């Protein structure tokens, strides 16, 4: 049975929750391996809409064991808020497992995130202010707090004291903020200990044993390829590895155990926050995509920047991640357009460039080179087979497939759970 990685191929918000849900009934574990509650998945089940931020989307699939692995940073208050909200709606959350090695977001991380971003002024990165970056920074600086530390008061206190010794100088002397008390943080975290204890385990061991037993494990990435701290549009990126390689380091499952890499890509392009975006639209077509696609952040509510499909980005994602299958989402949003432009390359300083430039400066100044495709007027939300799509929609999908570096195995044609066309089995 396979280990499958599911990641975003653009700048996030591609609809990974829908793709996870498509696979949910056929997998045993769904693992979140990176990020924190700065990511948002919206999953529609019947008449119910669920907005998830920290929890893996697989928590909505009966029988699936959801896992928050070691590569995730956890805001414990948010964790319990989401669990309680789902429980109140009748969702069974009792099987959730959390890695003992996952790092904890504290109050001082959130404070530092907000004041640092404001201090940057025009150079702001566009963080969500939820403490994600500072927590990852502490992890790399080896002054972080892990879930397992909450069960040992002495170790927890030592670590908080060590972290605040430096951070309070920064808050008081640079940002003119009040110092944070050690007891304030320690008492808050200790208050969660007994509720956390049943779910905190060695998740790497659990997942490897599951694969040894022939069970199917799905690794669900937060954010997306172009937001990866190493491979994205740095510095306008997240603080973790959102690409397929992050699934191994973020979970403790070796790369040679991964069988398939599924990348989710929208039929157009969006991003939230600052940074380069070659196909961005500032006209009525950008507003058309935003309003028709309801492009507002699940976590932040911020309007998303919108633009046409960018084939070089899809090819880049296919290469960086080793994509075996694409899931193309929100094709229905394009219904009604007479012509649909697709970015097939860039122009940089008068020269055609067919791949994503390695230079941030070049990418920032890249101008899209478009090819236009015929649109369609027919409602496609009821399509369940590829042949149900209008010929122009089929041609559009096949053209994107040819440009993007891997097969398009499934196509989202509407917001409903079953509004999807499957061309190839994602597990074979």
């Amino acid at each position: 049975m396979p280990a499958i990685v599911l990641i975003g191929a653009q700048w996030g918000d591609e609809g990974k929750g829908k793709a996870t849900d498509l696979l949910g009934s056929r997998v045993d574990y769904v693992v979140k391996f990176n990020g924190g509650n700065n990511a948002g998945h919206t999953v529609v089940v019947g008449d119910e809409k669920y907005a998830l931020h920290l929890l893996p989307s697989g928590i909505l699939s009966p029988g699936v064991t959801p896992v928050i692995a070691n590569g995730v940073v956890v805001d414990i208050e948010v964790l319990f808020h989401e669990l309680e909200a789902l429980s109140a709606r009748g969702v069974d959350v009792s099987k959730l497992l959390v890695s003992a090695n996952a790092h904890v977001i504290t109050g001082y991380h959130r404070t530092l995130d907000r004041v640092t971003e404001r201090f940057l002024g025009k150079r702001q990165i566009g963080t969500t202010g939820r403490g994600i970056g500072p927590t990852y920074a502490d992890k790399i600086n080896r002054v972080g707090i892990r879930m397992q530390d909450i069960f040992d008061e002495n170790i927890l206190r030592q670590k908080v004291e060590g972290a605040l010794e430096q951070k309070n100088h920064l808050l008081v002397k640079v940002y003119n903020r009040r110092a944070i008390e050690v007891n304030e943080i320690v008492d808050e975290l200790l208050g969660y200990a007994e509720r956390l204890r049943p779910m905190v385990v060695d998740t790497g061991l659990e997942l490897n044993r599951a694969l040894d037993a022939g069970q199917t494990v799905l690794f669900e990435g937060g954010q997306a390829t172009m937001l990866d701290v190493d491979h994205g549009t740095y510095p306008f990126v997240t603080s973790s590895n959102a690409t397929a390689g992050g699934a191994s380091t973020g979970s403790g499952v070796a790369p040679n155990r991964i069988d398939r890499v599924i990348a989710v890509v929208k039929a157009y392009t969006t991003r939230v926050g600052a940074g380069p975006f070659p196909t961005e639209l500032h006209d009525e077509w950008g507003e058309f995509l935003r309003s028709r696609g309801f492009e507002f952040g699940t976590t932040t509510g911020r309007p998303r920047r919108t633009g046409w499909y960018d084939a070089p980005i899809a090819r880049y994602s296919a290469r960086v991640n080793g994509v075996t299958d694409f899931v193309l989402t929100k094709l229905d949003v394009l219904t009604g357009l007479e012509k649909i432009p697709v970015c097939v390359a860039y122009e940089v300083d008068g020269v055609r460039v067919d791949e994503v430039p390695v230079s941030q400066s070049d990418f920032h100044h890249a101008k899209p080179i478009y090819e236009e495709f015929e649109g369609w007027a027919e409602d496609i939300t009821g399509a369940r087979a590829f042949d149900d799509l209008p010929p122009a929609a089929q041609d559009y999908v096949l053209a994107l497939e040819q440009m993007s570096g891997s097969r398009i195995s499934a196509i989202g044609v509407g917001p409903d759970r079953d509004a999807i066309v499957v061309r190839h089995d994602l597990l074979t």
Side-chain angles (χ1 to χ4, degrees):
M1 290 295 170
I4 308 150
V5 178
L6 177 70
I7 47 89
Q10 296 158 316
W11 278 286
D13 308 309
E14 299 94 348
K16 293 183 290 294
K18 186 183 186 72
T20 303
D21 191 60
L22 176 67
L23 294 162
S25 62
R26 303 174 64 189
V27 302
D28 301 292
Y29 288 76
V30 175
V31 183
K32 181 166 182 170
F33 63 82
N34 77 299
N37 56 306
N38 54 341
H41 297 314
T42 300
V43 181
V44 179
V45 183
D47 295 330
E48 295 288 320
K49 180 182 287 188
Y50 299 88
L52 305 175
H53 305 283
L54 178 61
L55 294 170
S57 297
I59 201 163
L60 298 173
S61 300
V64 170
T65 299
V67 177
I68 294 175
N70 60 275
V72 179
V73 291
V74 181
D75 186 319
I76 303 173
E77 181 181 0
V78 171
L79 173 66
F80 284 119
H81 175 76
E82 288 197 19
L83 290 174
E84 289 161 5
L86 289 179
S87 294
R89 297 175 68 179
V91 177
D92 178 15
V93 299
S94 63
K95 299 181 74 173
L96 176 68
L97 301 178
V98 180
S99 172
N101 290 336
H103 279 246
V104 177
I105 299 171
T106 70
Y108 56 79
H109 292 122
R110 291 189 294 269
T111 298
L112 280 168
D113 199 359
R114 291 191 293 268
V115 299
T116 303
E117 183 77 349
R118 282 197 293 270
F119 191 77
L120 288 172
K122 293 181 179 179
R123 295 180 291 110
Q124 287 186 8
I125 293 168
T127 76
T128 58
R130 285 163 167 77
I132 312 296
T135 306
Y136 277 114
D138 276 6
K139 176 179 178 177
I140 299 305
N141 287 326
R142 291 160 293 185
V143 293
I145 295 167
R146 302 195 293 181
M147 296 296 288
Q148 58 182 278
D149 298 329
I150 295 172
F151 306 119
D152 188 321
E153 183 175 353
N154 289 332
I155 287 179
L156 177 62
R157 185 172 296 278
Q158 290 173 32
K159 289 194 171 186
V160 173
E161 286 175 349
L164 285 179
E165 185 174 354
Q166 180 194 54
K167 289 175 174 58
N168 275 335
H169 283 293
L170 188 64
L171 285 169
V172 173
K173 296 177 181 177
V174 177
Y175 298 122
N176 196 29
R177 298 294 175 125
R178 73 169 182 87
I180 296 174
E181 297 290 334
V182 171
N183 286 340
E184 175 186 338
I185 302 298
V186 171
D187 291 348
E188 178 189 354
L189 295 179
L190 287 176
Y192 294 120
E194 293 312 308
R195 294 174 71 190
L196 284 170
R197 197 179 296 276
M199 64 182 73
V200 176
V201 300
D202 183 345
T203 53
L205 178 62
E206 176 85 13
L207 294 171
N208 277 283
R209 283 178 171 171
L211 290 170
D212 290 342
Q215 295 181 294
T216 300
V217 178
L218 176 64
F219 299 89
E220 176 189 88
Q223 293 84 41
T225 299
M226 301 306 291
L227 293 173
D228 183 281
V229 69
D230 285 290
H231 304 291
T233 49
Y234 189 92
F236 304 101
V237 291
T238 193
S239 301
S240 61
N241 289 114
T243 41
S248 289
T249 54
S251 70
V253 173
N256 63 355
R257 306 206 74 169
I258 294 171
D259 301 277
R260 308 202 67 75
V261 178
I262 301 168
V264 185
V265 62
K266 267 181 191 164
Y268 49 99
T269 311
T270 65
R271 79 171 295 175
V272 172
F277 184 178
T279 68
E280 183 172 12
L281 298 168
H282 299 283
D283 55 15
E284 69 273 18
W285 298 118
E287 188 53 43
F288 171 89
L289 294 174
R290 186 176 299 107
S291 58
R292 284 286 297 273
F294 197 70
E295 296 297 348
F296 300 90
T298 302
T299 297
T300 64
R302 288 184 289 184
R304 294 175 186 143
R305 299 159 65 189
T306 56
W308 302 120
Y309 188 88
D310 190 320
I313 283 177
R315 287 197 297 274
Y316 177 78
S317 291
R319 170 164 55 87
V320 169
N321 294 294
V323 173
T324 57
D325 303 82
F326 279 111
V327 174
L328 182 73
T329 59
K330 292 200 170 183
L331 184 64
D332 55 298
V333 172
L334 302 180
T335 299
L337 294 172
E338 290 186 15
K339 298 286 185 180
I340 306 172
V342 171
C343 174
V344 297
Y346 310 117
E347 180 187 311
V348 180
D349 293 332
V351 177
R352 179 184 170 115
V353 177
D354 291 309
E355 302 296 339
V356 174
V358 68
S359 162
Q360 176 188 313
S361 179
D362 285 349
F363 195 44
H364 181 75
H365 294 102
K367 298 177 181 178
I369 297 173
Y370 288 116
E371 183 176 334
E372 286 193 339
F373 294 85
E374 293 295 324
W376 58 91
E378 300 92 329
D379 179 8
I380 65 170
T381 56
R384 295 297 178 267
F386 191 63
D387 288 343
D388 294 340
L389 296 173
Q394 294 183 37
D395 290 344
Y396 182 74
V397 171
L398 294 173
L400 297 191
E401 181 176 67
Q402 193 275 328
M403 296 177 196
S404 300
S406 190
R407 68 183 188 179
I408 294 175
S409 295
I411 305 154
V413 293
D416 291 341
R417 189 177 195 176
D418 63 345
I420 196 159
V421 170
V422 178
R423 296 179 67 214
H424 308 286
D425 189 342
L426 291 173
L427 298 187
T428 59

